[in-house]
Amino acid sequence: QKEVEQNSGPLSVPEGAIASLNCTYSDRGSQSFFWYRQYSGKSPELIMSIYSNGDKEDGRFTAQLNKASQYVSLLIRDSQPSDSATYLCAVSPYSGNTPLVFGKGTRLSVIA
Amino acid sequence: GAGVSQTPSNKVTEKGKYVELRCDPISGHTALYWYRQSLGQGPEFLIYFQGTGAADDSGLPNDRFFAVRPEGSVSTLKIQRTERGDSAVYLCASSVTGARTDTQYFGPGTRLTVL
C-alpha cells in the first residue's frame, strides 16, 4: 500500500511569517512529487513540482525533497491570508506514466 | 484556453440508481484520470486512460464502477446500483501525455450525493 502522510492541521501562522508544510511517503521508488493547493469547495491547483533532491524555488514557494528520508516539504514565505487553503502533497510512485497518490492535506490558516 | 470541464456539477440520486458523470479534458491531452475525494481526505485514484484505453483501472473499488473514453477525448464514469458510501466529489484530471513529470490539471468536480 503506497502511502503519503501529512499532518492534517490546522496550521496557523501570522501574516508575513513562513509556513512550513511537511509530507512523508512510503514508496522509496517514488519519482515525482507535487504540491497542490485546494481552496474550500474548489478543485486542486498545482503549486510546485519537484523531481530531484534539494530545493526548488518559485516566487514565495520553496519545495524541498530528501529521497533518502522519503520526505518532501513546502515553505511559503511572507504568508498572506489568501494562502489560507488545504495543501495536498501528491506522489507519483512509479516510473513512467502514472496516477498520483495524495496525502489527506494540511489545512493552513494565515491570520491577518 | 478552456480547462477541464465536468458535468453535472452536482448530482443527487437515490440508493440503487445508476449515474453517469462526464469529463471533458483539455483539448489535446491524451491522459485522463478519475479521482474520488471524500470530505477531509485527499483525492483517491480510480482509473487512468491513455487515449481510448484504460491504462490502469486498479483504483476502481468494485465492479459497480466503470469508465469509458471511446474517442480518446470525453470520458464518462458510470456507477451502477449506487450506495450511500459512493457519496463524494468525483474529480477528473488531464495531462498532456501522462508522463510522470506532467502536470495534472483538475476539473471542478461533480459532487455526488446518494440518499
Side-chain angles (χ1 to χ4, degrees), chain A residues 50-68:
Chain A
I50 187 166
Y51 312 110
S52 303
N53 280 329
D55 295 0
K56 179 182 178 182
E57 185 175 321
D58 184 1
R60 295 186 297 112
F61 299 95
T62 298
Q64 300 175 316
L65 174 62
N66 184 327
K67 290 186 178 180

PDB file of all heavy atoms in Angstrom, chain A residues 50-68:
ATOM      1  N   ILE A  50       8.542  18.811  -7.932  1.00  0.00           N
ATOM      2  CA  ILE A  50       9.969  18.624  -7.689  1.00  0.00           C
ATOM      3  C   ILE A  50      10.313  17.175  -7.969  1.00  0.00           C
ATOM      4  O   ILE A  50       9.544  16.265  -7.635  1.00  0.00           O
ATOM      5  CB  ILE A  50      10.360  19.067  -6.257  1.00  0.00           C
ATOM      6  CG1 ILE A  50      11.876  19.032  -6.056  1.00  0.00           C
ATOM      7  CG2 ILE A  50       9.627  18.262  -5.194  1.00  0.00           C
ATOM      8  CD1 ILE A  50      12.340  19.759  -4.795  1.00  0.00           C
ATOM      9  N   TYR A  51      11.477  16.947  -8.584  1.00  0.00           N
ATOM     10  CA  TYR A  51      11.830  15.598  -9.011  1.00  0.00           C
ATOM     11  C   TYR A  51      13.203  15.163  -8.501  1.00  0.00           C
ATOM     12  O   TYR A  51      13.499  13.967  -8.484  1.00  0.00           O
ATOM     13  CB  TYR A  51      11.829  15.505 -10.543  1.00  0.00           C
ATOM     14  CG  TYR A  51      10.600  16.104 -11.172  1.00  0.00           C
ATOM     15  CD1 TYR A  51      10.680  17.279 -11.908  1.00  0.00           C
ATOM     16  CD2 TYR A  51       9.352  15.522 -10.998  1.00  0.00           C
ATOM     17  CE1 TYR A  51       9.542  17.847 -12.476  1.00  0.00           C
ATOM     18  CE2 TYR A  51       8.216  16.084 -11.549  1.00  0.00           C
ATOM     19  CZ  TYR A  51       8.319  17.246 -12.286  1.00  0.00           C
ATOM     20  OH  TYR A  51       7.196  17.807 -12.831  1.00  0.00           O
ATOM     21  N   SER A  52      14.045  16.130  -8.104  1.00  0.00           N
ATOM     22  CA  SER A  52      15.405  15.822  -7.656  1.00  0.00           C
ATOM     23  C   SER A  52      15.601  16.287  -6.228  1.00  0.00           C
ATOM     24  O   SER A  52      14.951  17.238  -5.773  1.00  0.00           O
ATOM     25  CB  SER A  52      16.423  16.533  -8.552  1.00  0.00           C
ATOM     26  OG  SER A  52      16.246  16.178  -9.905  1.00  0.00           O
ATOM     27  N   ASN A  53      16.505  15.632  -5.534  1.00  0.00           N
ATOM     28  CA  ASN A  53      16.840  16.035  -4.170  1.00  0.00           C
ATOM     29  C   ASN A  53      17.291  17.493  -4.126  1.00  0.00           C
ATOM     30  O   ASN A  53      17.950  17.984  -5.047  1.00  0.00           O
ATOM     31  CB  ASN A  53      17.966  15.152  -3.613  1.00  0.00           C
ATOM     32  CG  ASN A  53      17.470  13.819  -3.126  1.00  0.00           C
ATOM     33  OD1 ASN A  53      16.329  13.692  -2.663  1.00  0.00           O
ATOM     34  ND2 ASN A  53      18.306  12.815  -3.253  1.00  0.00           N
ATOM     35  N   GLY A  54      16.911  18.188  -3.061  1.00  0.00           N
ATOM     36  CA  GLY A  54      17.325  19.568  -2.888  1.00  0.00           C
ATOM     37  C   GLY A  54      16.142  20.495  -2.844  1.00  0.00           C
ATOM     38  O   GLY A  54      15.020  20.082  -2.548  1.00  0.00           O
ATOM     39  N   ASP A  55      16.410  21.748  -3.106  1.00  0.00           N
ATOM     40  CA  ASP A  55      15.394  22.795  -3.046  1.00  0.00           C
ATOM     41  C   ASP A  55      15.025  23.277  -4.438  1.00  0.00           C
ATOM     42  O   ASP A  55      15.865  23.327  -5.334  1.00  0.00           O
ATOM     43  CB  ASP A  55      15.915  23.989  -2.241  1.00  0.00           C
ATOM     44  CG  ASP A  55      16.156  23.662  -0.784  1.00  0.00           C
ATOM     45  OD1 ASP A  55      15.920  22.506  -0.391  1.00  0.00           O
ATOM     46  OD2 ASP A  55      16.574  24.561  -0.033  1.00  0.00           O
ATOM     47  N   LYS A  56      13.761  23.678  -4.575  1.00  0.00           N
ATOM     48  CA  LYS A  56      13.298  24.305  -5.807  1.00  0.00           C
ATOM     49  C   LYS A  56      12.439  25.495  -5.421  1.00  0.00           C
ATOM     50  O   LYS A  56      11.484  25.335  -4.667  1.00  0.00           O
ATOM     51  CB  LYS A  56      12.486  23.330  -6.656  1.00  0.00           C
ATOM     52  CG  LYS A  56      11.944  23.928  -7.945  1.00  0.00           C
ATOM     53  CD  LYS A  56      11.112  22.913  -8.713  1.00  0.00           C
ATOM     54  CE  LYS A  56      10.523  23.512  -9.982  1.00  0.00           C
ATOM     55  NZ  LYS A  56       9.667  22.527 -10.692  1.00  0.00           N
ATOM     56  N   GLU A  57      12.808  26.665  -5.910  1.00  0.00           N
ATOM     57  CA  GLU A  57      12.132  27.893  -5.514  1.00  0.00           C
ATOM     58  C   GLU A  57      11.319  28.459  -6.668  1.00  0.00           C
ATOM     59  O   GLU A  57      11.752  28.443  -7.822  1.00  0.00           O
ATOM     60  CB  GLU A  57      13.174  28.927  -5.046  1.00  0.00           C
ATOM     61  CG  GLU A  57      12.583  30.194  -4.492  1.00  0.00           C
ATOM     62  CD  GLU A  57      13.658  31.122  -3.925  1.00  0.00           C
ATOM     63  OE1 GLU A  57      14.613  30.633  -3.307  1.00  0.00           O
ATOM     64  OE2 GLU A  57      13.535  32.344  -4.125  1.00  0.00           O
ATOM     65  N   ASP A  58      10.128  28.963  -6.333  1.00  0.00           N
ATOM     66  CA  ASP A  58       9.275  29.639  -7.319  1.00  0.00           C
ATOM     67  C   ASP A  58       8.515  30.736  -6.595  1.00  0.00           C
ATOM     68  O   ASP A  58       7.533  30.458  -5.897  1.00  0.00           O
ATOM     69  CB  ASP A  58       8.309  28.644  -7.966  1.00  0.00           C
ATOM     70  CG  ASP A  58       7.461  29.284  -9.061  1.00  0.00           C
ATOM     71  OD1 ASP A  58       7.630  30.487  -9.339  1.00  0.00           O
ATOM     72  OD2 ASP A  58       6.611  28.572  -9.642  1.00  0.00           O
ATOM     73  N   GLY A  59       9.026  31.960  -6.717  1.00  0.00           N
ATOM     74  CA  GLY A  59       8.393  33.080  -6.022  1.00  0.00           C
ATOM     75  C   GLY A  59       8.477  32.895  -4.521  1.00  0.00           C
ATOM     76  O   GLY A  59       9.552  32.672  -3.967  1.00  0.00           O
ATOM     77  N   ARG A  60       7.326  32.940  -3.845  1.00  0.00           N
ATOM     78  CA  ARG A  60       7.312  32.790  -2.382  1.00  0.00           C
ATOM     79  C   ARG A  60       7.334  31.328  -1.942  1.00  0.00           C
ATOM     80  O   ARG A  60       7.373  31.043  -0.748  1.00  0.00           O
ATOM     81  CB  ARG A  60       6.056  33.467  -1.824  1.00  0.00           C
ATOM     82  CG  ARG A  60       6.019  34.972  -2.021  1.00  0.00           C
ATOM     83  CD  ARG A  60       4.811  35.599  -1.305  1.00  0.00           C
ATOM     84  NE  ARG A  60       3.529  35.158  -1.822  1.00  0.00           N
ATOM     85  CZ  ARG A  60       2.665  34.403  -1.142  1.00  0.00           C
ATOM     86  NH1 ARG A  60       2.946  34.000   0.090  1.00  0.00           N
ATOM     87  NH2 ARG A  60       1.512  34.066  -1.686  1.00  0.00           N
ATOM     88  N   PHE A  61       7.305  30.415  -2.870  1.00  0.00           N
ATOM     89  CA  PHE A  61       7.226  28.991  -2.561  1.00  0.00           C
ATOM     90  C   PHE A  61       8.575  28.305  -2.783  1.00  0.00           C
ATOM     91  O   PHE A  61       9.258  28.557  -3.774  1.00  0.00           O
ATOM     92  CB  PHE A  61       6.168  28.307  -3.435  1.00  0.00           C
ATOM     93  CG  PHE A  61       4.782  28.843  -3.253  1.00  0.00           C
ATOM     94  CD1 PHE A  61       4.289  29.831  -4.091  1.00  0.00           C
ATOM     95  CD2 PHE A  61       3.960  28.376  -2.238  1.00  0.00           C
ATOM     96  CE1 PHE A  61       3.011  30.338  -3.928  1.00  0.00           C
ATOM     97  CE2 PHE A  61       2.676  28.871  -2.060  1.00  0.00           C
ATOM     98  CZ  PHE A  61       2.207  29.853  -2.904  1.00  0.00           C
ATOM     99  N   THR A  62       8.933  27.435  -1.830  1.00  0.00           N
ATOM    100  CA  THR A  62      10.112  26.585  -1.976  1.00  0.00           C
ATOM    101  C   THR A  62       9.727  25.164  -1.639  1.00  0.00           C
ATOM    102  O   THR A  62       9.195  24.906  -0.556  1.00  0.00           O
ATOM    103  CB  THR A  62      11.268  27.030  -1.058  1.00  0.00           C
ATOM    104  OG1 THR A  62      11.666  28.351  -1.407  1.00  0.00           O
ATOM    105  CG2 THR A  62      12.467  26.096  -1.205  1.00  0.00           C
ATOM    106  N   ALA A  63       9.977  24.252  -2.563  1.00  0.00           N
ATOM    107  CA  ALA A  63       9.789  22.828  -2.300  1.00  0.00           C
ATOM    108  C   ALA A  63      11.141  22.222  -1.976  1.00  0.00           C
ATOM    109  O   ALA A  63      12.157  22.580  -2.580  1.00  0.00           O
ATOM    110  CB  ALA A  63       9.163  22.140  -3.502  1.00  0.00           C
ATOM    111  N   GLN A  64      11.148  21.303  -1.015  1.00  0.00           N
ATOM    112  CA  GLN A  64      12.369  20.621  -0.602  1.00  0.00           C
ATOM    113  C   GLN A  64      12.127  19.123  -0.664  1.00  0.00           C
ATOM    114  O   GLN A  64      11.106  18.638  -0.181  1.00  0.00           O
ATOM    115  CB  GLN A  64      12.760  21.035   0.816  1.00  0.00           C
ATOM    116  CG  GLN A  64      13.017  22.525   0.968  1.00  0.00           C
ATOM    117  CD  GLN A  64      13.280  22.924   2.413  1.00  0.00           C
ATOM    118  OE1 GLN A  64      12.575  22.472   3.319  1.00  0.00           O
ATOM    119  NE2 GLN A  64      14.270  23.766   2.627  1.00  0.00           N
ATOM    120  N   LEU A  65      13.085  18.394  -1.246  1.00  0.00           N
ATOM    121  CA  LEU A  65      12.943  16.949  -1.392  1.00  0.00           C
ATOM    122  C   LEU A  65      14.167  16.252  -0.831  1.00  0.00           C
ATOM    123  O   LEU A  65      15.311  16.634  -1.138  1.00  0.00           O
ATOM    124  CB  LEU A  65      12.762  16.575  -2.859  1.00  0.00           C
ATOM    125  CG  LEU A  65      12.734  15.084  -3.194  1.00  0.00           C
ATOM    126  CD1 LEU A  65      11.566  14.385  -2.504  1.00  0.00           C
ATOM    127  CD2 LEU A  65      12.663  14.886  -4.715  1.00  0.00           C
ATOM    128  N   ASN A  66      13.938  15.222  -0.026  1.00  0.00           N
ATOM    129  CA  ASN A  66      15.001  14.371   0.504  1.00  0.00           C
ATOM    130  C   ASN A  66      14.555  12.933   0.309  1.00  0.00           C
ATOM    131  O   ASN A  66      13.783  12.398   1.101  1.00  0.00           O
ATOM    132  CB  ASN A  66      15.245  14.679   1.988  1.00  0.00           C
ATOM    133  CG  ASN A  66      16.402  13.878   2.557  1.00  0.00           C
ATOM    134  OD1 ASN A  66      16.658  12.740   2.152  1.00  0.00           O
ATOM    135  ND2 ASN A  66      17.106  14.463   3.500  1.00  0.00           N
ATOM    136  N   LYS A  67      15.021  12.324  -0.773  1.00  0.00           N
ATOM    137  CA  LYS A  67      14.580  10.961  -1.102  1.00  0.00           C
ATOM    138  C   LYS A  67      15.099   9.940  -0.103  1.00  0.00           C
ATOM    139  O   LYS A  67      14.426   8.939   0.156  1.00  0.00           O
ATOM    140  CB  LYS A  67      15.007  10.594  -2.518  1.00  0.00           C
ATOM    141  CG  LYS A  67      14.250  11.354  -3.606  1.00  0.00           C
ATOM    142  CD  LYS A  67      14.620  10.837  -4.987  1.00  0.00           C
ATOM    143  CE  LYS A  67      13.834  11.558  -6.071  1.00  0.00           C
ATOM    144  NZ  LYS A  67      14.191  11.065  -7.438  1.00  0.00           N
ATOM    145  N   ALA A  68      16.272  10.172   0.464  1.00  0.00           N
ATOM    146  CA  ALA A  68      16.828   9.221   1.434  1.00  0.00           C
ATOM    147  C   ALA A  68      15.932   9.137   2.667  1.00  0.00           C
ATOM    148  O   ALA A  68      15.720   8.061   3.231  1.00  0.00           O
ATOM    149  CB  ALA A  68      18.241   9.633   1.828  1.00  0.00           C
TER     150      ALA A  68
END
